[in-house]
Amino acid sequence: MLDLAIIGSGPAGYTAGIYASRASLKPVLFEGLESGGQLMLTTDVENYPGFDSGIMGPDLMQIFKKQAERFGTEIKTETINSIKKIDGGFILKSAKDSYEFKSVIISSGASAKWLDIKGEKELQGHGVSACATCDGFFFKEKEVIVVGGGDSAMEEALFLTKFATKVYIVHRRDSFRASKIMQDRVLGNDKIEVLWNKEVTEIHGSESVESVSLSDTKDGSSSELNIDGVFMAIGHTPNVDFLDGLVELDEKGYVKTGFTTETSTSVPGVFAAGDVADSIYRQAVTAAGTGCQAAIDAERWLDH
Ligand code: NAP
């Protein structure tokens, strides 16, 4: 039985790998079939400290990975499909094999929800984004759309007014689900216009986003809107399905932490870091921070 498994290869997972391998725990990191997490979907990352000229998301993740490998983190390109408690540890199964570990760090991240419409995937990183904090800066003096009616959509729209000349919120109903205070801020902002009862049905553009097709959810009529960027804010889903009830989740479905130490879960020996346990901050740097904490928590737990 090995000491430590790390599930996930975003900033939280790789940072846990760096710390755990430097502590001689010989961690095995399961990176999944697509390595790198959500930063693989962004272009320039300008808010990660230490890169004063910015860095491309995929390049940053490559550096994280190299640094974890340098100290001996073993990286397996496998997705863990199930994890069960056994005597003295846990058994993890991928499609290829099964493995036994004394402790586990869950850093499987969260996935932004997408509309699954034509043009959305093709133009990701070229005007289509699910993170205004990451990509808003590129829309200086431009016009953008935010899709959604929850607090995330309000927050993204307000943030984007710092850069864009005009922000449309496209919402499928005639009222927001966001908190009153956020709604008031949005409705009181001159740069924001709400397009009620509308759905985006297609995104158009060759090199970058040029326009969207909209459909009216009340009368079914369609229209076109010229636009430079489309921000999805229709929610995130923490990647917890494979846990199958192993650890307690919070009311939003994220892994609950803070039982004995900051990153401890309801099951001793299982720790969680990054977006899978964070519905609030969701930043690369906060994920890396909790990845470090999880490795230190796991090391101390194994010591005792
Ligand atoms: P959310 O509250 O689930 O809202 C998602 C929004 O997207 C809803 O308005 C929903 O429309 C819309 N939507 C979902 N699927 C859609 C689809 N296929 N097509 C079009 N629209 C779609 O998600 P969230 O805004 O990310 O918030 C998640 C949680 O975090 C909430 O509890 C929120 O309060 C919290 N949060 C808090 C803050 C803050 O306090 N500052 C900031 C961000 C998030 P319907 O309304 O019609 O269902």
PDB file of all heavy atoms in Angstrom, residues 132 135-146 156-169 189-193 227-231:
ATOM      1  N   ALA A 132     -14.907  35.460 -16.291  1.00  0.00           N
ATOM      2  CA  ALA A 132     -14.656  36.882 -16.538  1.00  0.00           C
ATOM      3  C   ALA A 132     -13.387  37.345 -15.829  1.00  0.00           C
ATOM      4  O   ALA A 132     -12.642  38.168 -16.351  1.00  0.00           O
ATOM      5  CB  ALA A 132     -15.856  37.706 -16.071  1.00  0.00           C
ATOM      6  N   ASP A 135     -10.576  36.319 -18.194  1.00  0.00           N
ATOM      7  CA  ASP A 135     -10.513  36.794 -19.578  1.00  0.00           C
ATOM      8  C   ASP A 135     -11.113  38.183 -19.815  1.00  0.00           C
ATOM      9  O   ASP A 135     -11.010  38.708 -20.923  1.00  0.00           O
ATOM     10  CB  ASP A 135     -11.233  35.778 -20.497  1.00  0.00           C
ATOM     11  CG  ASP A 135     -10.565  34.411 -20.451  1.00  0.00           C
ATOM     12  OD1 ASP A 135      -9.332  34.370 -20.303  1.00  0.00           O
ATOM     13  OD2 ASP A 135     -11.262  33.390 -20.546  1.00  0.00           O
ATOM     14  N   GLY A 136     -11.727  38.775 -18.779  1.00  0.00           N
ATOM     15  CA  GLY A 136     -12.414  40.058 -18.946  1.00  0.00           C
ATOM     16  C   GLY A 136     -11.523  41.152 -19.505  1.00  0.00           C
ATOM     17  O   GLY A 136     -11.945  41.958 -20.348  1.00  0.00           O
ATOM     18  N   PHE A 137     -10.273  41.142 -19.085  1.00  0.00           N
ATOM     19  CA  PHE A 137      -9.312  42.172 -19.463  1.00  0.00           C
ATOM     20  C   PHE A 137      -9.157  42.324 -20.981  1.00  0.00           C
ATOM     21  O   PHE A 137      -8.825  43.385 -21.478  1.00  0.00           O
ATOM     22  CB  PHE A 137      -7.965  41.801 -18.826  1.00  0.00           C
ATOM     23  CG  PHE A 137      -6.925  42.850 -18.973  1.00  0.00           C
ATOM     24  CD1 PHE A 137      -6.989  44.015 -18.218  1.00  0.00           C
ATOM     25  CD2 PHE A 137      -5.886  42.698 -19.878  1.00  0.00           C
ATOM     26  CE1 PHE A 137      -6.023  44.998 -18.356  1.00  0.00           C
ATOM     27  CE2 PHE A 137      -4.910  43.673 -20.022  1.00  0.00           C
ATOM     28  CZ  PHE A 137      -4.981  44.831 -19.265  1.00  0.00           C
ATOM     29  N   PHE A 138      -9.417  41.226 -21.708  1.00  0.00           N
ATOM     30  CA  PHE A 138      -9.226  41.262 -23.169  1.00  0.00           C
ATOM     31  C   PHE A 138     -10.391  41.921 -23.893  1.00  0.00           C
ATOM     32  O   PHE A 138     -10.397  41.973 -25.114  1.00  0.00           O
ATOM     33  CB  PHE A 138      -9.023  39.834 -23.700  1.00  0.00           C
ATOM     34  CG  PHE A 138      -7.886  39.129 -23.022  1.00  0.00           C
ATOM     35  CD1 PHE A 138      -8.123  38.083 -22.148  1.00  0.00           C
ATOM     36  CD2 PHE A 138      -6.582  39.549 -23.219  1.00  0.00           C
ATOM     37  CE1 PHE A 138      -7.084  37.463 -21.491  1.00  0.00           C
ATOM     38  CE2 PHE A 138      -5.531  38.927 -22.567  1.00  0.00           C
ATOM     39  CZ  PHE A 138      -5.778  37.883 -21.698  1.00  0.00           C
ATOM     40  N   PHE A 139     -11.368  42.396 -23.119  1.00  0.00           N
ATOM     41  CA  PHE A 139     -12.555  42.959 -23.771  1.00  0.00           C
ATOM     42  C   PHE A 139     -12.683  44.462 -23.520  1.00  0.00           C
ATOM     43  O   PHE A 139     -13.773  44.998 -23.444  1.00  0.00           O
ATOM     44  CB  PHE A 139     -13.809  42.180 -23.353  1.00  0.00           C
ATOM     45  CG  PHE A 139     -13.766  40.779 -23.890  1.00  0.00           C
ATOM     46  CD1 PHE A 139     -13.117  39.776 -23.198  1.00  0.00           C
ATOM     47  CD2 PHE A 139     -14.303  40.483 -25.133  1.00  0.00           C
ATOM     48  CE1 PHE A 139     -13.021  38.487 -23.713  1.00  0.00           C
ATOM     49  CE2 PHE A 139     -14.222  39.202 -25.665  1.00  0.00           C
ATOM     50  CZ  PHE A 139     -13.574  38.199 -24.955  1.00  0.00           C
ATOM     51  N   LYS A 140     -11.525  45.116 -23.415  1.00  0.00           N
ATOM     52  CA  LYS A 140     -11.506  46.572 -23.256  1.00  0.00           C
ATOM     53  C   LYS A 140     -12.161  47.222 -24.471  1.00  0.00           C
ATOM     54  O   LYS A 140     -11.809  46.873 -25.613  1.00  0.00           O
ATOM     55  CB  LYS A 140     -10.053  47.045 -23.172  1.00  0.00           C
ATOM     56  CG  LYS A 140      -9.567  47.158 -21.745  1.00  0.00           C
ATOM     57  CD  LYS A 140      -8.229  47.823 -21.688  1.00  0.00           C
ATOM     58  CE  LYS A 140      -7.766  47.894 -20.253  1.00  0.00           C
ATOM     59  NZ  LYS A 140      -6.338  48.015 -20.135  1.00  0.00           N
ATOM     60  N   GLU A 141     -13.094  48.137 -24.203  1.00  0.00           N
ATOM     61  CA  GLU A 141     -13.773  48.884 -25.279  1.00  0.00           C
ATOM     62  C   GLU A 141     -14.564  47.962 -26.229  1.00  0.00           C
ATOM     63  O   GLU A 141     -14.734  48.285 -27.395  1.00  0.00           O
ATOM     64  CB  GLU A 141     -12.775  49.720 -26.108  1.00  0.00           C
ATOM     65  CG  GLU A 141     -11.881  50.627 -25.301  1.00  0.00           C
ATOM     66  CD  GLU A 141     -12.659  51.680 -24.533  1.00  0.00           C
ATOM     67  OE1 GLU A 141     -13.568  52.302 -25.114  1.00  0.00           O
ATOM     68  OE2 GLU A 141     -12.381  51.854 -23.321  1.00  0.00           O
ATOM     69  N   LYS A 142     -14.968  46.794 -25.725  1.00  0.00           N
ATOM     70  CA  LYS A 142     -15.737  45.884 -26.579  1.00  0.00           C
ATOM     71  C   LYS A 142     -17.118  45.653 -25.972  1.00  0.00           C
ATOM     72  O   LYS A 142     -17.393  46.094 -24.859  1.00  0.00           O
ATOM     73  CB  LYS A 142     -15.008  44.543 -26.689  1.00  0.00           C
ATOM     74  CG  LYS A 142     -13.576  44.684 -27.113  1.00  0.00           C
ATOM     75  CD  LYS A 142     -13.240  43.744 -28.217  1.00  0.00           C
ATOM     76  CE  LYS A 142     -11.960  44.221 -28.812  1.00  0.00           C
ATOM     77  NZ  LYS A 142     -11.302  43.476 -29.713  1.00  0.00           N
ATOM     78  N   GLU A 143     -17.961  44.923 -26.708  1.00  0.00           N
ATOM     79  CA  GLU A 143     -19.299  44.604 -26.217  1.00  0.00           C
ATOM     80  C   GLU A 143     -19.399  43.106 -25.961  1.00  0.00           C
ATOM     81  O   GLU A 143     -18.954  42.309 -26.795  1.00  0.00           O
ATOM     82  CB  GLU A 143     -20.359  45.045 -27.234  1.00  0.00           C
ATOM     83  CG  GLU A 143     -20.317  46.543 -27.491  1.00  0.00           C
ATOM     84  CD  GLU A 143     -21.605  47.085 -28.074  1.00  0.00           C
ATOM     85  OE1 GLU A 143     -22.465  46.287 -28.491  1.00  0.00           O
ATOM     86  OE2 GLU A 143     -21.751  48.322 -28.100  1.00  0.00           O
ATOM     87  N   VAL A 144     -19.948  42.742 -24.813  1.00  0.00           N
ATOM     88  CA  VAL A 144     -19.992  41.323 -24.450  1.00  0.00           C
ATOM     89  C   VAL A 144     -21.381  40.921 -23.938  1.00  0.00           C
ATOM     90  O   VAL A 144     -22.184  41.770 -23.543  1.00  0.00           O
ATOM     91  CB  VAL A 144     -18.947  40.975 -23.356  1.00  0.00           C
ATOM     92  CG1 VAL A 144     -17.533  41.218 -23.854  1.00  0.00           C
ATOM     93  CG2 VAL A 144     -19.215  41.750 -22.075  1.00  0.00           C
ATOM     94  N   ILE A 145     -21.579  39.607 -23.936  1.00  0.00           N
ATOM     95  CA  ILE A 145     -22.803  39.020 -23.391  1.00  0.00           C
ATOM     96  C   ILE A 145     -22.429  38.171 -22.196  1.00  0.00           C
ATOM     97  O   ILE A 145     -21.407  37.479 -22.233  1.00  0.00           O
ATOM     98  CB  ILE A 145     -23.438  38.084 -24.446  1.00  0.00           C
ATOM     99  CG1 ILE A 145     -24.300  38.861 -25.413  1.00  0.00           C
ATOM    100  CG2 ILE A 145     -24.260  36.987 -23.805  1.00  0.00           C
ATOM    101  CD1 ILE A 145     -24.877  37.950 -26.488  1.00  0.00           C
ATOM    102  N   VAL A 146     -23.249  38.201 -21.152  1.00  0.00           N
ATOM    103  CA  VAL A 146     -23.119  37.228 -20.070  1.00  0.00           C
ATOM    104  C   VAL A 146     -24.403  36.405 -20.079  1.00  0.00           C
ATOM    105  O   VAL A 146     -25.501  36.974 -20.117  1.00  0.00           O
ATOM    106  CB  VAL A 146     -22.955  37.914 -18.696  1.00  0.00           C
ATOM    107  CG1 VAL A 146     -22.946  36.886 -17.575  1.00  0.00           C
ATOM    108  CG2 VAL A 146     -21.683  38.743 -18.656  1.00  0.00           C
ATOM    109  N   GLU A 156     -20.136  38.414 -12.759  1.00  0.00           N
ATOM    110  CA  GLU A 156     -19.351  38.464 -14.002  1.00  0.00           C
ATOM    111  C   GLU A 156     -19.704  39.738 -14.780  1.00  0.00           C
ATOM    112  O   GLU A 156     -18.822  40.419 -15.283  1.00  0.00           O
ATOM    113  CB  GLU A 156     -19.654  37.239 -14.886  1.00  0.00           C
ATOM    114  CG  GLU A 156     -19.398  35.901 -14.230  1.00  0.00           C
ATOM    115  CD  GLU A 156     -18.000  35.351 -14.455  1.00  0.00           C
ATOM    116  OE1 GLU A 156     -17.734  34.773 -15.499  1.00  0.00           O
ATOM    117  OE2 GLU A 156     -17.168  35.508 -13.540  1.00  0.00           O
ATOM    118  N   ALA A 157     -20.997  40.046 -14.860  1.00  0.00           N
ATOM    119  CA  ALA A 157     -21.428  41.217 -15.637  1.00  0.00           C
ATOM    120  C   ALA A 157     -20.854  42.498 -15.017  1.00  0.00           C
ATOM    121  O   ALA A 157     -20.322  43.359 -15.723  1.00  0.00           O
ATOM    122  CB  ALA A 157     -22.949  41.277 -15.684  1.00  0.00           C
ATOM    123  N   LEU A 158     -20.943  42.608 -13.693  1.00  0.00           N
ATOM    124  CA  LEU A 158     -20.430  43.812 -13.018  1.00  0.00           C
ATOM    125  C   LEU A 158     -18.927  43.934 -13.222  1.00  0.00           C
ATOM    126  O   LEU A 158     -18.407  45.019 -13.497  1.00  0.00           O
ATOM    127  CB  LEU A 158     -20.767  43.763 -11.523  1.00  0.00           C
ATOM    128  CG  LEU A 158     -22.251  43.968 -11.200  1.00  0.00           C
ATOM    129  CD1 LEU A 158     -22.565  43.539  -9.773  1.00  0.00           C
ATOM    130  CD2 LEU A 158     -22.664  45.427 -11.411  1.00  0.00           C
ATOM    131  N   PHE A 159     -18.229  42.803 -13.134  1.00  0.00           N
ATOM    132  CA  PHE A 159     -16.778  42.818 -13.327  1.00  0.00           C
ATOM    133  C   PHE A 159     -16.434  43.266 -14.749  1.00  0.00           C
ATOM    134  O   PHE A 159     -15.524  44.064 -14.964  1.00  0.00           O
ATOM    135  CB  PHE A 159     -16.214  41.410 -13.058  1.00  0.00           C
ATOM    136  CG  PHE A 159     -14.717  41.330 -13.191  1.00  0.00           C
ATOM    137  CD1 PHE A 159     -13.886  41.835 -12.200  1.00  0.00           C
ATOM    138  CD2 PHE A 159     -14.140  40.756 -14.309  1.00  0.00           C
ATOM    139  CE1 PHE A 159     -12.513  41.769 -12.332  1.00  0.00           C
ATOM    140  CE2 PHE A 159     -12.757  40.676 -14.442  1.00  0.00           C
ATOM    141  CZ  PHE A 159     -11.942  41.187 -13.447  1.00  0.00           C
ATOM    142  N   LEU A 160     -17.213  42.784 -15.713  1.00  0.00           N
ATOM    143  CA  LEU A 160     -16.920  43.090 -17.117  1.00  0.00           C
ATOM    144  C   LEU A 160     -17.162  44.559 -17.463  1.00  0.00           C
ATOM    145  O   LEU A 160     -16.586  45.069 -18.420  1.00  0.00           O
ATOM    146  CB  LEU A 160     -17.757  42.179 -18.027  1.00  0.00           C
ATOM    147  CG  LEU A 160     -17.255  40.733 -18.077  1.00  0.00           C
ATOM    148  CD1 LEU A 160     -18.312  39.795 -18.647  1.00  0.00           C
ATOM    149  CD2 LEU A 160     -15.966  40.630 -18.899  1.00  0.00           C
ATOM    150  N   THR A 161     -17.987  45.255 -16.661  1.00  0.00           N
ATOM    151  CA  THR A 161     -18.215  46.684 -16.951  1.00  0.00           C
ATOM    152  C   THR A 161     -16.940  47.508 -16.761  1.00  0.00           C
ATOM    153  O   THR A 161     -16.846  48.626 -17.234  1.00  0.00           O
ATOM    154  CB  THR A 161     -19.326  47.293 -16.058  1.00  0.00           C
ATOM    155  OG1 THR A 161     -18.949  47.129 -14.692  1.00  0.00           O
ATOM    156  CG2 THR A 161     -20.676  46.654 -16.308  1.00  0.00           C
ATOM    157  N   LYS A 162     -15.964  46.924 -16.074  1.00  0.00           N
ATOM    158  CA  LYS A 162     -14.687  47.639 -15.909  1.00  0.00           C
ATOM    159  C   LYS A 162     -13.930  47.746 -17.226  1.00  0.00           C
ATOM    160  O   LYS A 162     -13.041  48.567 -17.374  1.00  0.00           O
ATOM    161  CB  LYS A 162     -13.789  46.882 -14.925  1.00  0.00           C
ATOM    162  CG  LYS A 162     -14.290  46.892 -13.521  1.00  0.00           C
ATOM    163  CD  LYS A 162     -13.285  46.208 -12.643  1.00  0.00           C
ATOM    164  CE  LYS A 162     -13.838  46.061 -11.251  1.00  0.00           C
ATOM    165  NZ  LYS A 162     -13.080  45.148 -10.446  1.00  0.00           N
ATOM    166  N   PHE A 163     -14.248  46.849 -18.150  1.00  0.00           N
ATOM    167  CA  PHE A 163     -13.499  46.805 -19.414  1.00  0.00           C
ATOM    168  C   PHE A 163     -14.393  47.115 -20.608  1.00  0.00           C
ATOM    169  O   PHE A 163     -14.047  47.935 -21.442  1.00  0.00           O
ATOM    170  CB  PHE A 163     -12.889  45.408 -19.612  1.00  0.00           C
ATOM    171  CG  PHE A 163     -12.163  44.906 -18.404  1.00  0.00           C
ATOM    172  CD1 PHE A 163     -12.742  43.950 -17.576  1.00  0.00           C
ATOM    173  CD2 PHE A 163     -10.919  45.414 -18.083  1.00  0.00           C
ATOM    174  CE1 PHE A 163     -12.082  43.500 -16.450  1.00  0.00           C
ATOM    175  CE2 PHE A 163     -10.248  44.969 -16.949  1.00  0.00           C
ATOM    176  CZ  PHE A 163     -10.829  44.013 -16.129  1.00  0.00           C
ATOM    177  N   ALA A 164     -15.520  46.437 -20.664  1.00  0.00           N
ATOM    178  CA  ALA A 164     -16.370  46.528 -21.854  1.00  0.00           C
ATOM    179  C   ALA A 164     -17.144  47.842 -21.863  1.00  0.00           C
ATOM    180  O   ALA A 164     -17.404  48.437 -20.815  1.00  0.00           O
ATOM    181  CB  ALA A 164     -17.337  45.352 -21.871  1.00  0.00           C
ATOM    182  N   THR A 165     -17.521  48.273 -23.069  1.00  0.00           N
ATOM    183  CA  THR A 165     -18.342  49.479 -23.178  1.00  0.00           C
ATOM    184  C   THR A 165     -19.804  49.140 -22.904  1.00  0.00           C
ATOM    185  O   THR A 165     -20.574  49.969 -22.448  1.00  0.00           O
ATOM    186  CB  THR A 165     -18.231  50.096 -24.587  1.00  0.00           C
ATOM    187  OG1 THR A 165     -18.373  49.040 -25.534  1.00  0.00           O
ATOM    188  CG2 THR A 165     -16.906  50.789 -24.784  1.00  0.00           C
ATOM    189  N   LYS A 166     -20.161  47.861 -23.197  1.00  0.00           N
ATOM    190  CA  LYS A 166     -21.558  47.455 -23.016  1.00  0.00           C
ATOM    191  C   LYS A 166     -21.595  45.980 -22.631  1.00  0.00           C
ATOM    192  O   LYS A 166     -20.877  45.166 -23.221  1.00  0.00           O
ATOM    193  CB  LYS A 166     -22.286  47.652 -24.356  1.00  0.00           C
ATOM    194  CG  LYS A 166     -23.683  47.172 -24.372  1.00  0.00           C
ATOM    195  CD  LYS A 166     -24.631  48.322 -24.256  1.00  0.00           C
ATOM    196  CE  LYS A 166     -26.040  47.878 -24.013  1.00  0.00           C
ATOM    197  NZ  LYS A 166     -26.948  48.980 -23.819  1.00  0.00           N
ATOM    198  N   VAL A 167     -22.402  45.662 -21.625  1.00  0.00           N
ATOM    199  CA  VAL A 167     -22.542  44.265 -21.203  1.00  0.00           C
ATOM    200  C   VAL A 167     -24.030  43.892 -21.263  1.00  0.00           C
ATOM    201  O   VAL A 167     -24.855  44.552 -20.623  1.00  0.00           O
ATOM    202  CB  VAL A 167     -22.019  44.053 -19.762  1.00  0.00           C
ATOM    203  CG1 VAL A 167     -22.211  42.604 -19.327  1.00  0.00           C
ATOM    204  CG2 VAL A 167     -20.557  44.462 -19.632  1.00  0.00           C
ATOM    205  N   TYR A 168     -24.352  42.906 -22.070  1.00  0.00           N
ATOM    206  CA  TYR A 168     -25.722  42.396 -22.101  1.00  0.00           C
ATOM    207  C   TYR A 168     -25.791  41.167 -21.213  1.00  0.00           C
ATOM    208  O   TYR A 168     -24.911  40.314 -21.277  1.00  0.00           O
ATOM    209  CB  TYR A 168     -26.118  41.953 -23.513  1.00  0.00           C
ATOM    210  CG  TYR A 168     -26.181  43.060 -24.533  1.00  0.00           C
ATOM    211  CD1 TYR A 168     -25.074  43.354 -25.332  1.00  0.00           C
ATOM    212  CD2 TYR A 168     -27.349  43.801 -24.707  1.00  0.00           C
ATOM    213  CE1 TYR A 168     -25.130  44.361 -26.288  1.00  0.00           C
ATOM    214  CE2 TYR A 168     -27.410  44.812 -25.660  1.00  0.00           C
ATOM    215  CZ  TYR A 168     -26.298  45.084 -26.439  1.00  0.00           C
ATOM    216  OH  TYR A 168     -26.368  46.084 -27.381  1.00  0.00           O
ATOM    217  N   ILE A 169     -26.834  41.074 -20.379  1.00  0.00           N
ATOM    218  CA  ILE A 169     -27.091  39.809 -19.686  1.00  0.00           C
ATOM    219  C   ILE A 169     -28.239  39.138 -20.426  1.00  0.00           C
ATOM    220  O   ILE A 169     -29.311  39.738 -20.594  1.00  0.00           O
ATOM    221  CB  ILE A 169     -27.472  40.016 -18.211  1.00  0.00           C
ATOM    222  CG1 ILE A 169     -26.308  40.659 -17.447  1.00  0.00           C
ATOM    223  CG2 ILE A 169     -27.849  38.679 -17.563  1.00  0.00           C
ATOM    224  CD1 ILE A 169     -26.586  40.898 -15.976  1.00  0.00           C
ATOM    225  N   ASN A 189     -26.758  49.645 -13.044  1.00  0.00           N
ATOM    226  CA  ASN A 189     -25.533  49.950 -13.780  1.00  0.00           C
ATOM    227  C   ASN A 189     -25.859  50.324 -15.231  1.00  0.00           C
ATOM    228  O   ASN A 189     -26.448  49.537 -15.971  1.00  0.00           O
ATOM    229  CB  ASN A 189     -24.604  48.721 -13.742  1.00  0.00           C
ATOM    230  CG  ASN A 189     -23.216  49.056 -14.238  1.00  0.00           C
ATOM    231  OD1 ASN A 189     -23.050  49.573 -15.326  1.00  0.00           O
ATOM    232  ND2 ASN A 189     -22.225  48.790 -13.414  1.00  0.00           N
ATOM    233  N   ASP A 190     -25.445  51.544 -15.622  1.00  0.00           N
ATOM    234  CA  ASP A 190     -25.787  52.067 -16.956  1.00  0.00           C
ATOM    235  C   ASP A 190     -25.192  51.251 -18.096  1.00  0.00           C
ATOM    236  O   ASP A 190     -25.709  51.273 -19.215  1.00  0.00           O
ATOM    237  CB  ASP A 190     -25.263  53.508 -17.102  1.00  0.00           C
ATOM    238  CG  ASP A 190     -26.033  54.450 -16.209  1.00  0.00           C
ATOM    239  OD1 ASP A 190     -27.119  54.053 -15.760  1.00  0.00           O
ATOM    240  OD2 ASP A 190     -25.525  55.568 -15.948  1.00  0.00           O
ATOM    241  N   LYS A 191     -24.101  50.573 -17.823  1.00  0.00           N
ATOM    242  CA  LYS A 191     -23.439  49.829 -18.915  1.00  0.00           C
ATOM    243  C   LYS A 191     -24.095  48.479 -19.182  1.00  0.00           C
ATOM    244  O   LYS A 191     -23.783  47.821 -20.156  1.00  0.00           O
ATOM    245  CB  LYS A 191     -21.974  49.585 -18.540  1.00  0.00           C
ATOM    246  CG  LYS A 191     -21.045  50.737 -18.842  1.00  0.00           C
ATOM    247  CD  LYS A 191     -19.622  50.246 -18.663  1.00  0.00           C
ATOM    248  CE  LYS A 191     -18.610  51.276 -19.041  1.00  0.00           C
ATOM    249  NZ  LYS A 191     -17.238  50.763 -18.831  1.00  0.00           N
ATOM    250  N   ILE A 192     -24.992  48.069 -18.250  1.00  0.00           N
ATOM    251  CA  ILE A 192     -25.586  46.732 -18.400  1.00  0.00           C
ATOM    252  C   ILE A 192     -27.016  46.818 -18.927  1.00  0.00           C
ATOM    253  O   ILE A 192     -27.821  47.598 -18.432  1.00  0.00           O
ATOM    254  CB  ILE A 192     -25.583  45.965 -17.051  1.00  0.00           C
ATOM    255  CG1 ILE A 192     -24.142  45.812 -16.546  1.00  0.00           C
ATOM    256  CG2 ILE A 192     -26.236  44.587 -17.198  1.00  0.00           C
ATOM    257  CD1 ILE A 192     -24.018  45.137 -15.191  1.00  0.00           C
ATOM    258  N   GLU A 193     -27.297  46.009 -19.936  1.00  0.00           N
ATOM    259  CA  GLU A 193     -28.673  45.893 -20.430  1.00  0.00           C
ATOM    260  C   GLU A 193     -29.087  44.425 -20.336  1.00  0.00           C
ATOM    261  O   GLU A 193     -28.337  43.545 -20.758  1.00  0.00           O
ATOM    262  CB  GLU A 193     -28.738  46.373 -21.889  1.00  0.00           C
ATOM    263  CG  GLU A 193     -30.137  46.300 -22.456  1.00  0.00           C
ATOM    264  CD  GLU A 193     -30.217  46.816 -23.895  1.00  0.00           C
ATOM    265  OE1 GLU A 193     -29.336  47.591 -24.335  1.00  0.00           O
ATOM    266  OE2 GLU A 193     -31.170  46.400 -24.587  1.00  0.00           O
ATOM    267  N   ILE A 227     -21.601  40.973 -31.423  1.00  0.00           N
ATOM    268  CA  ILE A 227     -20.981  40.971 -30.099  1.00  0.00           C
ATOM    269  C   ILE A 227     -19.528  40.481 -30.203  1.00  0.00           C
ATOM    270  O   ILE A 227     -19.189  39.760 -31.138  1.00  0.00           O
ATOM    271  CB  ILE A 227     -21.813  40.072 -29.127  1.00  0.00           C
ATOM    272  CG1 ILE A 227     -21.657  40.520 -27.687  1.00  0.00           C
ATOM    273  CG2 ILE A 227     -21.495  38.586 -29.269  1.00  0.00           C
ATOM    274  CD1 ILE A 227     -22.483  41.716 -27.344  1.00  0.00           C
ATOM    275  N   ASP A 228     -18.680  40.890 -29.245  1.00  0.00           N
ATOM    276  CA  ASP A 228     -17.260  40.493 -29.294  1.00  0.00           C
ATOM    277  C   ASP A 228     -16.935  39.329 -28.364  1.00  0.00           C
ATOM    278  O   ASP A 228     -15.936  38.650 -28.560  1.00  0.00           O
ATOM    279  CB  ASP A 228     -16.383  41.690 -28.898  1.00  0.00           C
ATOM    280  CG  ASP A 228     -16.650  42.898 -29.769  1.00  0.00           C
ATOM    281  OD1 ASP A 228     -16.435  42.777 -30.982  1.00  0.00           O
ATOM    282  OD2 ASP A 228     -17.104  43.939 -29.253  1.00  0.00           O
ATOM    283  N   GLY A 229     -17.764  39.152 -27.328  1.00  0.00           N
ATOM    284  CA  GLY A 229     -17.443  38.082 -26.380  1.00  0.00           C
ATOM    285  C   GLY A 229     -18.692  37.501 -25.749  1.00  0.00           C
ATOM    286  O   GLY A 229     -19.711  38.186 -25.619  1.00  0.00           O
ATOM    287  N   VAL A 230     -18.616  36.224 -25.392  1.00  0.00           N
ATOM    288  CA  VAL A 230     -19.754  35.554 -24.741  1.00  0.00           C
ATOM    289  C   VAL A 230     -19.230  34.864 -23.480  1.00  0.00           C
ATOM    290  O   VAL A 230     -18.334  34.016 -23.563  1.00  0.00           O
ATOM    291  CB  VAL A 230     -20.393  34.493 -25.667  1.00  0.00           C
ATOM    292  CG1 VAL A 230     -21.575  33.829 -24.968  1.00  0.00           C
ATOM    293  CG2 VAL A 230     -20.837  35.115 -26.983  1.00  0.00           C
ATOM    294  N   PHE A 231     -19.766  35.265 -22.327  1.00  0.00           N
ATOM    295  CA  PHE A 231     -19.344  34.670 -21.051  1.00  0.00           C
ATOM    296  C   PHE A 231     -20.471  33.801 -20.497  1.00  0.00           C
ATOM    297  O   PHE A 231     -21.572  34.277 -20.274  1.00  0.00           O
ATOM    298  CB  PHE A 231     -18.980  35.762 -20.043  1.00  0.00           C
ATOM    299  CG  PHE A 231     -17.670  36.419 -20.357  1.00  0.00           C
ATOM    300  CD1 PHE A 231     -17.595  37.438 -21.284  1.00  0.00           C
ATOM    301  CD2 PHE A 231     -16.502  35.986 -19.757  1.00  0.00           C
ATOM    302  CE1 PHE A 231     -16.377  38.027 -21.605  1.00  0.00           C
ATOM    303  CE2 PHE A 231     -15.283  36.550 -20.064  1.00  0.00           C
ATOM    304  CZ  PHE A 231     -15.217  37.578 -20.986  1.00  0.00           C
TER     305      PHE A 231
END
